[in-house]
Amino acid sequence: MSTAKTQEYTIQGKPAASGIAIGKAVIINSESKTITPTSIKKKEAADHKERFLESKKNLTAKLEEMSGELKDTTTAEIIDTQQQIIQDPEIEKSVFDIIDNKLLSVDFAIYQTYCTFIERLKESGSELFRQRIIDLEDIRDQFIAEVCDQKNLKSIKKGSIIITREISPTDLVSYYEDGATGLIMEKGGTTAHAAIIAKSLGMPCIVNAKRATKEAVKNETIILNADEGMVILRPSDKTVKSYKAKLKAQKKASKLTCSNDFETTDGVSFKLMANIEFEAELDNAAKSGSQGVGLLRTEGLLFGKRVRNSPAEQQEFYEQIVAGTEGPVTIRLFDIGGDKNARRPHKEANPFLGWRGIRLLLDEKKLLRNQLQAILTVAGKYPGRVKVLVPMISVIDEVRQIRNEIEKIQKDLLSSGMDIDEKVPLGLMVEVPSVALSAYQFAKEVDFMSIGSNDLTQYTLAVDRGNERIHTLFQHYHPSVLKLIKMTVDGARKADVEISVCGELAGDEIGVACLFGFGIKELSMVPSSVPTINKLLCSKSSEEFTELANQAIELSSSEELEQLYGEWK
């Protein structure tokens, strides 16, 4: 239910991507919820049954596709169990009975059917049966999402502002391509995956906007002021006029040519790269003046409506990115897990500490080898431009296993008559404190290291970066995090390997001032941050940054660092 308020008022949130947007509200309900009964007409029953059968077919195909990719025994058993549940004739019989005889919609028929089976298992007293409840709940939710897909992912009008509890990056890109100009989320922190993509796309975004989906009214004009972390509902004509003037000025300022000096006042050069995941971000990366792609996330190939996981499909994507940019392109291997769990066949109690990144890839050799084959094929066409980055490394043996896989695939490509880049650099993500603490030993195994400050902060401070309840504890320039980064820089320097940062810290002025002071000369960030960071680094000498960094590492809190930076700048 929407609010009965008619006067202008605001909802507060937390800024995640700066800017202003004015447009019609589009409310996307992505929350897992109880499905309420919806009556249908008798003549509509056949269509609802057909939707069930089509969704059943699609869901089965998706599970079979996953089964083809993921070959470990445990996963195969889980997928097989879920397929058996979907094909159970009792499920279909119950769904059809509810549609035909009770004249209720297909989504509710699925919901009620599975809930009935779940209640029976709960009452059985058997621990074995109780364990199947998770499978039933998971399949129920997937079934409902599939059968409602057409309604939930419909196109939107140009200029719309998306309001949702949370949203997947692939869906966000789809809405952006339809013309969405802003994003308001009730959940998540500023480093939530969707918030990062919104920032990269240049979409104003706020998170933690409590009750936004309840307070806003569909198709009513709203104003999103992401600079101040607020949404204005029922804006007056005077307010709209004022914000249109601000928006016009903001767009004019964004078109100003940015400086491309990339050099401090005392002549020390640096590189600023772009973090991207989708082709839609290429234009912003080019306009920003970035000197290459410091982080190409690849998970978008596996999630969403358009899955592109075959070697040929991946190769086409990687080639498009390399051809569409200048400079090096660092391709990160699939970092599945944690907050990128959409296609996982089972749930984990602690996904951020579980089967993710390199841990999953080394178990799922087909998935890994398909990706490496695609990357190394493109690297052969663009020698000297492609780098391979490995996520979630925590022990040295993981690096050695990946290097062996790369050498095997390069040998296969050569024997098939294809050109290869024999010197494709292999790097690792520094996301886990164990790597930072033993940076020299890890650095000796690779060609470069890239600090993923988002996860390094999460694991150092023991704070889930996507949990809005504790988002204030996610302090990515906390002195403890900076000390680990300094240790990593020292280890990389001793081993004489390149070191960069590709997390959100690389786009934060305070963070960048410290990183550069530690000696990190290559930073990768969302494209919109490149001009601002370039201006900052061009404004002072390298000695001034070093002095700040040395003071920062001796502090005890982020608040103290903020005060120090304010005085220094």
Side-chain angles (χ1 to χ4, degrees), residues 263-474:
E263 193 174 278
T264 62
T265 57
D266 57 339
V268 176
S269 60
F270 52 86
K271 286 185 179 179
L272 301 184
M273 319 281 276
N275 292 345
I276 64 174
E277 184 170 356
F278 301 96
E279 297 95 325
E281 299 169 271
L282 283 173
D283 188 46
N284 285 340
K287 290 178 181 177
S288 72
S290 61
Q291 299 165 288
V293 177
L295 174 65
L296 176 62
R297 301 183 187 91
T298 57
E299 297 74 49
L301 295 169
L302 300 181
F303 304 146
K305 291 180 69 63
R306 186 189 173 198
V307 176
R308 296 177 285 175
N309 56 4
S310 71
E313 290 171 316
Q314 290 188 57
Q315 182 181 326
E316 181 184 6
F317 170 72
Y318 302 139
E319 194 160 354
Q320 186 174 351
I321 299 297
V322 177
T325 56
E326 296 181 0
V329 176
T330 301
I331 304 176
R332 186 178 70 185
L333 300 181
F334 294 131
D335 188 10
I336 312 168
D339 59 348
K340 296 177 282 288
N341 236 10
R343 299 182 69 244
R344 296 289 296 280
H346 63 281
K347 298 175 182 177
E348 294 180 290
N350 295 297
F352 279 107
L353 301 178
W355 198 50
R356 64 167 293 198
I358 185 61
R359 301 169 180 178
L360 182 148
L361 292 173
L362 290 176
D363 285 342
E364 305 298 348
K365 290 292 174 58
K366 182 177 180 181
L367 188 68
L368 171 63
R369 289 168 181 167
N370 281 350
Q371 184 173 32
L372 287 176
Q373 180 186 327
I375 293 172
L376 295 172
T377 299
V378 173
K381 294 183 179 181
Y382 298 87
R385 289 197 59 200
V386 175
K387 298 180 176 182
V388 177
L389 183 60
V390 188
M392 195 57 186
I393 291 288
S394 58
V395 296
I396 283 177
D397 188 57
E398 293 167 334
V399 182
R400 295 170 180 165
Q401 289 186 63
I402 282 291
R403 193 175 286 282
N404 287 337
E405 290 292 337
I406 288 175
E407 290 173 355
K408 287 177 185 176
I409 291 173
Q410 286 184 319
K411 185 177 180 180
D412 290 342
L413 291 174
L414 272 176
S415 60
S416 67
M418 298 185 69
D419 293 328
I420 66 167
D421 182 354
E422 295 182 0
K423 296 183 179 179
V424 174
L426 175 65
L428 63 83
M429 293 281 288
V430 181
E431 303 170 282
V432 179
S434 63
V435 178
L437 291 166
S438 302
Y440 173 64
Q441 286 74 18
F442 279 90
K444 290 189 295 182
E445 300 288 332
V446 293
D447 304 301
F448 69 99
M449 301 173 82
S450 185
I451 298 172
S453 61
N454 299 344
D455 273 330
L456 184 61
T457 302
Q458 173 173 249
Y459 295 127
T460 301
L461 299 179
V463 54
D464 179 352
R465 62 190 180 94
N467 188 331
E468 67 272 14
R469 289 187 177 182
I470 53 174
H471 68 88
T472 56
L473 294 177
F474 187 86

Side-chain angles (χ1 to χ4, degrees), residues 230-253:
M230 69 177 184
V231 186
I232 304 176
L233 303 179
R234 321 286 194 277
S236 67
D237 292 342
K238 182 180 178 181
T239 301
V240 171
K241 184 178 179 180
S242 171
Y243 269 92
K244 281 184 177 179
K246 290 180 181 179
L247 184 57
K248 185 177 180 180
Q250 198 174 76
K251 287 180 178 179
K252 184 178 180 180

Side-chain angles (χ1 to χ4, degrees), residues 22-30 151-167 171-172 175-176 178-185 203 212-214 216-223 231 233:
I22 304 170
K24 302 290 186 182
V26 173
I27 301 168
I28 308 296
N29 191 353
S30 60
K151 294 186 294 181
N152 290 340
L153 291 179
K154 62 185 179 182
S155 61
I156 61 171
K157 292 181 180 179
K158 189 174 181 179
S160 299
I161 298 175
I162 303 297
I163 304 176
T164 183
R165 282 182 60 78
E166 54 190 347
I167 190 171
D171 287 349
L172 176 59
Y175 289 127
Y176 169 79
D178 284 342
T181 57
L183 174 65
I184 300 161
M185 292 196 294
M203 291 178 70
T213 59
K214 302 291 190 300
V217 175
K218 180 181 177 182
N219 291 329
E220 278 200 358
T221 297
I222 63 172
I223 297 171
V231 186
L233 303 179

